[in-house]
Amino acid sequence: MEINQIFTLAAKEFRDRIRNRWVLAVALVFTVFSLVITYLGGAQQGQIGLKSIELTITSLVSLVIYLIPLIALLLGFDAIVGERERGSLDLLLSFPITRTEFLLGKYLGLAGALTLSTVAGFSLVAALLYQQFQWAGLFHYLGFMISSVLLGLAFLSLAIFMSVIARERTRASGLAIALWFFFVLVFDLLLLGALVGTGGSYGGDIFAYLLLLNPTDVFRILNVFSMDDVRTLYGLSSIVPPALAKPWLMGSVMFAWIVVPLALARWRFNS
């Protein structure tokens, strides 16, 4: 596997996203929504503006969970199947480049564009937090930004996998939207329904561990339940045991959500 081949293709993919102003558009969306939610997110508690770093992160968690997975899925669902439908896949693979190099180059280029747009979109809020709380306020917020990037990369891996297994671009887009609905809207409802339906007699002990099967819940645990003040604010401190709400542990789980779908996509693409 030639590293230079991978980075050449990744650079081309990244430049294409910069050229069509995709990164700028997403960054502007993140900037506008993050500013509005940062200032108005504490309205339910009777607070408006930058009151605390914990409240800011709590307000932005929902934005990230709804928006970043959707953007990542829309970004990557046609990465492979789109090239196949346009007839350019066979042409590209006729050059001295392996399928693995092509797949990784595509992923890294898209990942770079998604990372840049995410960081750029949240940077203005970071500057405001630094102005008010100095470096102490930025510590948790930087962790929030990193975990937001990891969440996007996890869903981008899922999108690449969907793009590999789908035969048509329309089917890939349908699978991407279905994944978003399942992980963002349906998964937690199914768990809560099962827990309520059984009266809590079944599954109560493993409920927190089942949340690890959803990358959005891993992100939520990493940013909500890993800080005592935020856990108290949510009023759900009993759901996730403290032993599970470890940043390094949740970071490892999130990393697995990035690697496993990408490895499956590589295996399927090569076969």
Side-chain angles (χ1 to χ4, degrees), residues 57-109:
I57 292 177
T58 302
S59 302
L60 291 175
V61 161
S62 297
L63 169 69
V64 171
I65 288 176
Y66 280 97
L67 200 57
I68 285 186
L70 180 61
I71 291 175
L73 289 169
L74 294 178
L75 174 64
F77 80 90
D78 67 339
I80 304 300
V81 70
E83 298 281 3
R84 185 185 294 122
E85 281 196 350
R86 290 189 292 269
S88 57
L89 181 60
D90 292 336
L91 176 63
L92 290 171
L93 292 177
S94 67
F95 292 100
I97 183 174
T98 66
R99 286 176 174 264
T100 298
E101 292 167 353
F102 177 80
L103 185 70
L104 291 179
K106 275 280 188 179
Y107 177 80
L108 290 178

Side-chain angles (χ1 to χ4, degrees), residues 1 13 18 20 23 52 71 82 102 141 151 157 160 167 191 197 201 226 237 259:
M1 187 167 60
E13 190 70 27
I18 295 293
N20 64 16
V23 172
S52 69
I71 291 175
F102 177 80
Y141 187 76
L151 179 65
S157 294
I160 294 293
R167 295 293 183 182
L191 287 185
S201 57
S226 61
S237 57
V259 173

Side-chain angles (χ1 to χ4, degrees), residues 189-225:
L189 291 178
L190 291 177
L191 287 185
L192 287 173
L195 194 63
V196 173
T198 59
S201 57
Y202 298 100
D205 295 336
I206 65 171
F207 180 80
Y209 297 93
L210 291 176
L211 295 177
L212 302 183
L213 299 177
N214 186 345
T216 63
D217 284 324
V218 176
F219 172 80
R220 186 181 286 111
I221 294 172
L222 189 58
N223 288 281
V224 174
F225 298 102

Side-chain angles (χ1 to χ4, degrees):
M1 187 167 60
E2 293 288 339
I3 301 298
N4 289 337
Q5 296 273 45
I6 296 175
F7 282 110
T8 299
L9 183 59
K12 176 187 178 301
E13 190 70 27
F14 180 79
R15 287 194 300 269
D16 289 343
R17 300 296 168 174
I18 295 293
R19 192 176 297 115
N20 64 16
R21 299 181 180 179
W22 183 92
V23 172
L24 177 61
V26 174
L28 287 176
V29 170
F30 281 141
T31 300
V32 172
F33 277 97
S34 61
L35 285 175
V36 172
I37 291 178
T38 296
Y39 276 96
L40 302 181
Q44 292 180 343
Q45 288 78 30
Q47 299 177 348
I48 296 179
L50 295 173
K51 299 300 181 181
S52 69
I53 184 64
E54 292 82 6
L55 185 60
T56 299
I57 292 177
T58 302
S59 302
L60 291 175
V61 161
S62 297
L63 169 69
V64 171
I65 288 176
Y66 280 97
L67 200 57
I68 285 186
L70 180 61
I71 291 175
L73 289 169
L74 294 178
L75 174 64
F77 80 90
D78 67 339
I80 304 300
V81 70
E83 298 281 3
R84 185 185 294 122
E85 281 196 350
R86 290 189 292 269
S88 57
L89 181 60
D90 292 336
L91 176 63
L92 290 171
L93 292 177
S94 67
F95 292 100
I97 183 174
T98 66
R99 286 176 174 264
T100 298
E101 292 167 353
F102 177 80
L103 185 70
L104 291 179
K106 275 280 188 179
Y107 177 80
L108 290 178
L110 295 174
L114 181 62
T115 299
L116 177 60
S117 61
T118 303
V119 173
F122 289 132
S123 294
L124 185 55
V125 174
L128 295 176
L129 290 173
Y130 174 76
Q131 185 178 14
Q132 184 159 342
F133 301 109
Q134 302 303 314
W135 286 110
L138 281 183
F139 178 76
H140 289 300
Y141 187 76
L142 290 177
F144 162 78
M145 290 178 63
I146 293 173
S147 62
S148 299
V149 170
L150 293 178
L151 179 65
L153 296 183
F155 274 91
L156 182 61
S157 294
L158 290 170
I160 294 293
F161 179 61
M162 293 297 102
S163 186
V164 168
I165 65 175
R167 295 293 183 182
E168 300 173 352
R169 190 173 180 272
T170 54
R171 183 172 298 180
S173 63
L175 289 173
I177 298 300
L179 274 179
W180 183 84
F181 269 100
F182 177 74
F183 282 121
V184 175
L185 301 175
V186 177
F187 184 87
D188 290 346
L189 291 178
L190 291 177
L191 287 185
L192 287 173
L195 194 63
V196 173
T198 59
S201 57
Y202 298 100
D205 295 336
I206 65 171
F207 180 80
Y209 297 93
L210 291 176
L211 295 177
L212 302 183
L213 299 177
N214 186 345
T216 63
D217 284 324
V218 176
F219 172 80
R220 186 181 286 111
I221 294 172
L222 189 58
N223 288 281
V224 174
F225 298 102
S226 61
M227 293 189 295
D228 293 336
D229 293 340
V230 180
R231 293 175 68 191
T232 303
L233 181 64
Y234 260 69
L236 299 173
S237 57
S238 61
I239 292 180
V240 179
L244 190 62
K246 301 294 185 182
W248 66 268
L249 179 60
M250 292 299 99
S252 300
V253 175
M254 189 68 79
F255 183 74
W257 269 106
I258 297 173
V259 173
V260 172
L262 195 60
L264 291 174
R266 175 181 178 272
W267 168 76
R268 183 66 179 86
F269 194 46
N270 286 327
S271 63

